[in-house]
mmCIF file of all heavy atoms in Angstrom:
data_model
loop_
_atom_site.group_PDB
_atom_site.id
_atom_site.type_symbol
_atom_site.label_atom_id
_atom_site.label_comp_id
_atom_site.label_asym_id
_atom_site.label_seq_id
_atom_site.Cartn_x
_atom_site.Cartn_y
_atom_site.Cartn_z
ATOM 1 N N THR B 27 -17.762 -7.741 -21.746
ATOM 2 C CA THR B 27 -18.718 -8.831 -21.477
ATOM 3 C C THR B 27 -19.799 -8.307 -20.559
ATOM 4 O O THR B 27 -19.724 -7.212 -20.086
ATOM 5 C CB THR B 27 -18.019 -9.994 -20.777
ATOM 6 O OG1 THR B 27 -17.479 -9.478 -19.548
ATOM 7 C CG2 THR B 27 -16.912 -10.607 -21.623
ATOM 8 N N ARG B 28 -20.838 -9.158 -20.338
ATOM 9 C CA ARG B 28 -21.944 -8.709 -19.496
ATOM 10 C C ARG B 28 -21.463 -8.387 -18.054
ATOM 11 O O ARG B 28 -21.850 -7.434 -17.423
ATOM 12 C CB ARG B 28 -23.028 -9.783 -19.492
ATOM 13 C CG ARG B 28 -24.392 -9.168 -19.338
ATOM 14 C CD ARG B 28 -25.486 -10.261 -19.309
ATOM 15 N NE ARG B 28 -25.553 -11.015 -20.523
ATOM 16 C CZ ARG B 28 -26.308 -12.099 -20.705
ATOM 17 N NH1 ARG B 28 -27.010 -12.537 -19.677
ATOM 18 N NH2 ARG B 28 -26.352 -12.738 -21.805
ATOM 19 N N GLY B 29 -20.522 -9.196 -17.573
ATOM 20 C CA GLY B 29 -19.907 -9.050 -16.235
ATOM 21 C C GLY B 29 -19.185 -7.752 -16.118
ATOM 22 O O GLY B 29 -19.357 -7.022 -15.130
ATOM 23 N N VAL B 30 -18.398 -7.408 -17.110
ATOM 24 C CA VAL B 30 -17.608 -6.114 -17.098
ATOM 25 C C VAL B 30 -18.538 -4.956 -17.091
ATOM 26 O O VAL B 30 -18.401 -4.011 -16.322
ATOM 27 C CB VAL B 30 -16.634 -6.095 -18.298
ATOM 28 C CG1 VAL B 30 -15.943 -4.694 -18.346
ATOM 29 C CG2 VAL B 30 -15.605 -7.177 -18.211
ATOM 30 N N LYS B 31 -19.609 -5.004 -17.956
ATOM 31 C CA LYS B 31 -20.535 -3.899 -18.076
ATOM 32 C C LYS B 31 -21.278 -3.748 -16.695
ATOM 33 O O LYS B 31 -21.487 -2.598 -16.256
ATOM 34 C CB LYS B 31 -21.602 -4.223 -19.138
ATOM 35 C CG LYS B 31 -21.064 -3.865 -20.543
ATOM 36 C CD LYS B 31 -22.117 -4.159 -21.583
ATOM 37 C CE LYS B 31 -21.570 -3.991 -22.952
ATOM 38 N NZ LYS B 31 -22.518 -4.507 -23.990
ATOM 39 N N LEU B 32 -21.674 -4.835 -16.128
ATOM 40 C CA LEU B 32 -22.389 -4.793 -14.838
ATOM 41 C C LEU B 32 -21.460 -4.173 -13.724
ATOM 42 O O LEU B 32 -21.932 -3.303 -12.974
ATOM 43 C CB LEU B 32 -22.841 -6.223 -14.450
ATOM 44 C CG LEU B 32 -23.577 -6.292 -13.077
ATOM 45 C CD1 LEU B 32 -24.976 -5.651 -13.270
ATOM 46 C CD2 LEU B 32 -23.765 -7.729 -12.621
ATOM 47 N N ALA B 33 -20.164 -4.620 -13.740
ATOM 48 C CA ALA B 33 -19.258 -4.119 -12.680
ATOM 49 C C ALA B 33 -19.077 -2.612 -12.909
ATOM 50 O O ALA B 33 -19.088 -1.839 -11.897
ATOM 51 C CB ALA B 33 -17.877 -4.815 -12.846
ATOM 52 N N LEU B 34 -18.965 -2.149 -14.090
ATOM 53 C CA LEU B 34 -18.789 -0.683 -14.388
ATOM 54 C C LEU B 34 -20.051 0.095 -14.001
ATOM 55 O O LEU B 34 -19.941 1.213 -13.462
ATOM 56 C CB LEU B 34 -18.390 -0.391 -15.837
ATOM 57 C CG LEU B 34 -17.033 -0.940 -16.244
ATOM 58 C CD1 LEU B 34 -16.713 -0.652 -17.716
ATOM 59 C CD2 LEU B 34 -15.886 -0.416 -15.393
ATOM 60 N N LEU B 35 -21.177 -0.473 -14.264
ATOM 61 C CA LEU B 35 -22.443 0.174 -13.876
ATOM 62 C C LEU B 35 -22.578 0.303 -12.387
ATOM 63 O O LEU B 35 -22.908 1.400 -11.880
ATOM 64 C CB LEU B 35 -23.683 -0.625 -14.469
ATOM 65 C CG LEU B 35 -25.071 -0.104 -14.159
ATOM 66 C CD1 LEU B 35 -25.302 1.158 -14.898
ATOM 67 C CD2 LEU B 35 -26.100 -1.111 -14.442
ATOM 68 N N LEU B 36 -22.273 -0.752 -11.681
ATOM 69 C CA LEU B 36 -22.337 -0.785 -10.227
ATOM 70 C C LEU B 36 -21.349 0.272 -9.650
ATOM 71 O O LEU B 36 -21.653 0.980 -8.673
ATOM 72 C CB LEU B 36 -22.038 -2.114 -9.600
ATOM 73 C CG LEU B 36 -23.165 -3.209 -9.809
ATOM 74 C CD1 LEU B 36 -22.708 -4.566 -9.302
ATOM 75 C CD2 LEU B 36 -24.472 -2.747 -9.136
ATOM 76 N N LEU B 37 -20.196 0.373 -10.265
ATOM 77 C CA LEU B 37 -19.142 1.326 -9.824
ATOM 78 C C LEU B 37 -19.690 2.761 -9.993
ATOM 79 O O LEU B 37 -19.488 3.629 -9.121
ATOM 80 C CB LEU B 37 -17.913 1.080 -10.634
ATOM 81 C CG LEU B 37 -16.597 1.460 -9.955
ATOM 82 C CD1 LEU B 37 -16.410 0.780 -8.673
ATOM 83 C CD2 LEU B 37 -15.432 1.140 -10.864
ATOM 84 N N ARG B 38 -20.317 3.011 -11.116
ATOM 85 C CA ARG B 38 -20.918 4.335 -11.362
ATOM 86 C C ARG B 38 -21.955 4.713 -10.304
ATOM 87 O O ARG B 38 -21.911 5.792 -9.773
ATOM 88 C CB ARG B 38 -21.547 4.431 -12.773
ATOM 89 C CG ARG B 38 -20.562 4.695 -13.846
ATOM 90 C CD ARG B 38 -21.314 4.653 -15.203
ATOM 91 N NE ARG B 38 -20.348 4.269 -16.302
ATOM 92 C CZ ARG B 38 -19.791 5.124 -17.098
ATOM 93 N NH1 ARG B 38 -19.951 6.360 -16.914
ATOM 94 N NH2 ARG B 38 -18.961 4.682 -18.068
ATOM 95 N N ILE B 39 -22.797 3.718 -10.039
ATOM 96 C CA ILE B 39 -23.913 3.945 -9.082
ATOM 97 C C ILE B 39 -23.290 4.216 -7.649
ATOM 98 O O ILE B 39 -23.652 5.149 -6.960
ATOM 99 C CB ILE B 39 -24.871 2.805 -8.999
ATOM 100 C CG1 ILE B 39 -25.586 2.666 -10.311
ATOM 101 C CG2 ILE B 39 -25.836 2.831 -7.828
ATOM 102 C CD1 ILE B 39 -26.419 1.358 -10.466
ATOM 103 N N TYR B 40 -22.249 3.410 -7.345
ATOM 104 C CA TYR B 40 -21.546 3.551 -6.043
ATOM 105 C C TYR B 40 -20.933 4.952 -5.942
ATOM 106 O O TYR B 40 -21.106 5.613 -4.900
ATOM 107 C CB TYR B 40 -20.455 2.494 -5.948
ATOM 108 C CG TYR B 40 -19.549 2.628 -4.807
ATOM 109 C CD1 TYR B 40 -19.929 2.146 -3.556
ATOM 110 C CD2 TYR B 40 -18.344 3.291 -4.907
ATOM 111 C CE1 TYR B 40 -19.053 2.291 -2.439
ATOM 112 C CE2 TYR B 40 -17.471 3.489 -3.811
ATOM 113 C CZ TYR B 40 -17.841 2.942 -2.592
ATOM 114 O OH TYR B 40 -16.989 3.070 -1.536
ATOM 115 N N LEU B 41 -20.275 5.396 -6.960
ATOM 116 C CA LEU B 41 -19.615 6.725 -6.918
ATOM 117 C C LEU B 41 -20.671 7.832 -6.853
ATOM 118 O O LEU B 41 -20.474 8.834 -6.111
ATOM 119 C CB LEU B 41 -18.710 6.882 -8.093
ATOM 120 C CG LEU B 41 -17.470 6.032 -8.076
ATOM 121 C CD1 LEU B 41 -16.731 6.036 -9.346
ATOM 122 C CD2 LEU B 41 -16.526 6.450 -6.968
ATOM 123 N N LEU B 42 -21.777 7.690 -7.571
ATOM 124 C CA LEU B 42 -22.786 8.711 -7.554
ATOM 125 C C LEU B 42 -23.381 8.823 -6.103
ATOM 126 O O LEU B 42 -23.602 9.917 -5.585
ATOM 127 C CB LEU B 42 -23.931 8.418 -8.506
ATOM 128 C CG LEU B 42 -23.564 8.729 -10.025
ATOM 129 C CD1 LEU B 42 -24.645 8.224 -10.932
ATOM 130 C CD2 LEU B 42 -23.425 10.234 -10.189
ATOM 131 N N LEU B 43 -23.631 7.689 -5.504
ATOM 132 C CA LEU B 43 -24.150 7.632 -4.110
ATOM 133 C C LEU B 43 -23.174 8.326 -3.164
ATOM 134 O O LEU B 43 -23.573 9.098 -2.291
ATOM 135 C CB LEU B 43 -24.379 6.188 -3.633
ATOM 136 C CG LEU B 43 -25.746 5.575 -3.929
ATOM 137 C CD1 LEU B 43 -25.694 4.106 -3.592
ATOM 138 C CD2 LEU B 43 -26.790 6.314 -3.182
ATOM 139 N N LEU B 44 -21.884 8.027 -3.358
ATOM 140 C CA LEU B 44 -20.844 8.626 -2.472
ATOM 141 C C LEU B 44 -20.816 10.151 -2.660
ATOM 142 O O LEU B 44 -20.713 10.899 -1.666
ATOM 143 C CB LEU B 44 -19.516 8.029 -2.822
ATOM 144 C CG LEU B 44 -18.612 7.599 -1.686
ATOM 145 C CD1 LEU B 44 -19.275 6.716 -0.693
ATOM 146 C CD2 LEU B 44 -17.373 6.951 -2.178
ATOM 147 N N ILE B 45 -20.898 10.595 -3.908
ATOM 148 C CA ILE B 45 -20.920 12.042 -4.145
ATOM 149 C C ILE B 45 -22.117 12.667 -3.519
ATOM 150 O O ILE B 45 -22.075 13.758 -2.893
ATOM 151 C CB ILE B 45 -20.831 12.344 -5.697
ATOM 152 C CG1 ILE B 45 -19.437 11.926 -6.193
ATOM 153 C CG2 ILE B 45 -21.127 13.776 -6.054
ATOM 154 C CD1 ILE B 45 -19.341 11.824 -7.688
ATOM 155 N N ALA B 46 -23.305 11.964 -3.642
ATOM 156 C CA ALA B 46 -24.553 12.514 -3.019
ATOM 157 C C ALA B 46 -24.347 12.638 -1.498
ATOM 158 O O ALA B 46 -24.760 13.679 -0.931
ATOM 159 C CB ALA B 46 -25.664 11.526 -3.336
#
Side-chain angles (χ1 to χ4, degrees):
Chain B
T27 59
R28 214 181 295 173
V30 174
K31 281 181 186 168
L32 181 70
L34 294 180
L35 178 71
L36 289 175
L37 208 54
R38 278 177 207 263
I39 293 169
Y40 171 84
L41 290 170
L42 284 172
L43 272 174
L44 223 55
I45 289 166

